[in-house]
Amino acid sequence: MKNQTLSVADAIRTRRTVRHYRPDPIPEADLSSLLELAVEAPTSWNLQDRSIVVVAGDEGRAGLAWATGGQPQPQEAPVVLVFVAEPQSWRDDHSDVYDRARRDGAWNDDFIAMFSAASTAFQEDLDKRGLLREYAVKDAMIAASFVMLAATEMGLATSPMNGWDEDKVKKVIGIEDRDDLVIALLVSVGYPAEERRHPGRRPLEHNVFYERHTARRGTAHQE
């Protein structure tokens, strides 16, 4: 059941990676809400260069178990979300994005013209430097992070999965012939069958620096 009182801060602090799930299905309305929140995540130049494949059928989840080397999450969780990065989507027609922004009063025609030209120039520069994939994967990962926090607020558990064979995942979701698409992350979603305690994090000063990064003891940069 959705927890109406869980704050964003509480969701961040209480979210844990869960590997084992009860077989209970996720209500369709909750899954739809989760996906709606996912696509609200920030996206560079509003290109929305990521997509989500919802894998809920037995065959698809078995395929993802195969693609992940037999990990339990796809076998047990009722839903696995596959986040797909689309590095070449900037070349597509984005008039619908501009029309929506214009209709909602977010952007006017002058801004749209400037924004479109600047976005194209930026993507062309990324292409020249071989960074299109990196940027698209970042966008997909941000959306996945939104899913995990939203799921926590809804009383659902998740596991971000990074141990998989990309070619196998692509085959399972039917894009094995799409070199223009990239698998960014798999996220299992369901009701937990285990309690995971917080293992703790290092003190803030270990990972947070101000103005300049300070090399840690034992790194190759120490002198």
Side-chain angles (χ1 to χ4, degrees):
M1 180 178 295
K2 185 173 180 179
N3 188 337
Q4 298 286 353
T5 63
L6 198 65
S7 68
V8 174
D10 287 337
I12 291 172
R13 292 189 177 99
T14 59
R15 184 215 63 81
R16 301 269 68 80
T17 294
V18 170
R19 292 172 58 83
H20 297 287
Y21 298 83
R22 305 199 309 265
D24 311 48
I26 300 173
E28 185 175 344
D30 287 351
L31 182 57
S32 294
S33 296
L34 191 63
L35 296 169
E36 289 172 0
L37 292 170
V39 300
E40 287 290 339
T43 167
S44 179
W45 296 96
N46 202 25
L47 289 176
Q48 303 171 52
D49 53 349
R50 69 276 172 105
S51 49
I52 306 169
V53 179
V54 181
V55 180
D58 292 342
E59 182 178 355
R61 290 187 296 108
L64 291 180
W66 163 70
T68 60
Q71 294 187 56
Q73 297 96 310
Q75 303 175 64
E76 299 180 14
V79 173
V80 179
L81 304 179
V82 181
F83 288 80
V84 181
E86 305 176 354
Q88 300 298 326
S89 68
W90 66 277
R91 305 180 191 276
D92 298 338
D93 179 16
H94 287 83
S95 59
D96 62 318
V97 174
Y98 301 143
D99 288 344
R100 174 65 183 271
R102 184 187 295 109
R103 185 170 63 251
D104 291 349
W107 298 347
N108 60 31
D109 289 339
D110 289 341
F111 181 85
I112 289 171
M114 178 277 297
F115 188 86
S116 177
S119 173
T120 298
F122 184 82
Q123 299 301 318
E124 288 174 343
D125 180 63
L126 290 180
D127 193 16
K128 291 177 183 176
R129 294 188 288 147
L131 295 176
L132 286 173
R133 176 186 174 115
E134 177 182 329
Y135 267 69
V137 167
K138 288 175 182 176
D139 266 11
M141 296 291 283
I142 294 170
S145 295
F146 268 50
V147 157
M148 289 186 284
L149 293 180
T152 301
E153 193 271 338
M154 297 170 71
L156 295 165
T158 58
S159 175
M161 303 179 66
N162 197 29
W164 32 261
D165 183 294
E166 182 169 41
D167 290 337
K168 290 180 178 179
V169 174
K170 281 187 167 186
K171 183 176 179 60
V172 171
I173 63 173
I175 58 171
E176 62 268 31
D177 60 342
R178 295 289 302 275
D179 292 337
D180 59 318
L181 300 178
V182 177
I183 304 302
L185 194 69
L186 276 60
V187 177
S188 56
V189 186
Y191 296 98
E194 62 177 349
E195 180 181 355
R196 299 297 300 271
R197 294 184 179 277
H198 196 332
R201 295 292 189 263
R202 285 170 164 163
L204 200 65
E205 57 269 20
H206 184 88
N207 292 313
V208 178
F209 307 96
Y210 295 90
E211 310 304 337
R212 296 176 64 86
H213 192 287
T214 303
R216 298 194 183 105
R217 185 181 308 170
T219 68
H221 298 288
Q222 183 181 359
E223 296 181 359

